[in-house]
Amino acid sequence: MKVRIKKILEEKGRSIYWLAIQCNVTYKSMFNLVNNKTSSVKFMLLERICNVLEVTPNDVILILKIKIGAFEPHLVYINI
């Protein structure tokens, strides 16, 4: 899985610091989440992020699906 929060923030002209304040979490926690340096996220935080950014979980989370082809495996990005 991969989060797309950084891209969404760029599109909306907002910073990680701004989002951390809005979601009432530390900058370090939000920075790690935005930069895909965490392995989990609580549903409550995901809901706050979606509400603040006015997006859905589908916009935020990208599922990486590995396809094994005839020659070599490759990643395919799909929305949930």
Side-chain angles (χ1 to χ4, degrees):
M1 260 197 258
K2 182 178 178 182
V3 293
R4 296 186 58 250
I5 300 171
K6 190 178 228 175
K7 177 92 171 148
I8 295 167
L9 287 171
E10 289 170 1
E11 291 169 0
K12 293 185 177 281
R14 297 295 186 165
S15 68
I16 297 170
Y17 179 75
W18 174 85
L19 185 59
I21 297 287
Q22 299 301 312
C23 293
N24 198 30
V25 297
T26 64
Y27 174 80
K28 184 177 181 176
S29 294
M30 189 61 73
F31 179 87
N32 288 338
L33 178 60
V34 167
N35 288 289
N36 290 291
K37 295 181 185 243
T38 186
S39 60
S40 65
V41 61
K42 292 185 177 184
F43 285 122
M44 190 170 75
L45 178 55
L46 180 60
E47 182 180 19
R48 281 188 207 153
I49 290 169
C50 289
N51 287 335
V52 168
L53 295 176
E54 299 176 327
V55 295
T56 68
N58 255 2
D59 300 321
V60 174
I61 299 172
L62 211 56
I63 301 293
L64 303 176
K65 191 173 187 179
I66 298 176
K67 274 189 154 183
I68 309 247
F71 303 105
E72 61 185 63
H74 60 280
L75 293 177
V76 177
Y77 295 97
I78 60 171
N79 280 331
I80 57 170

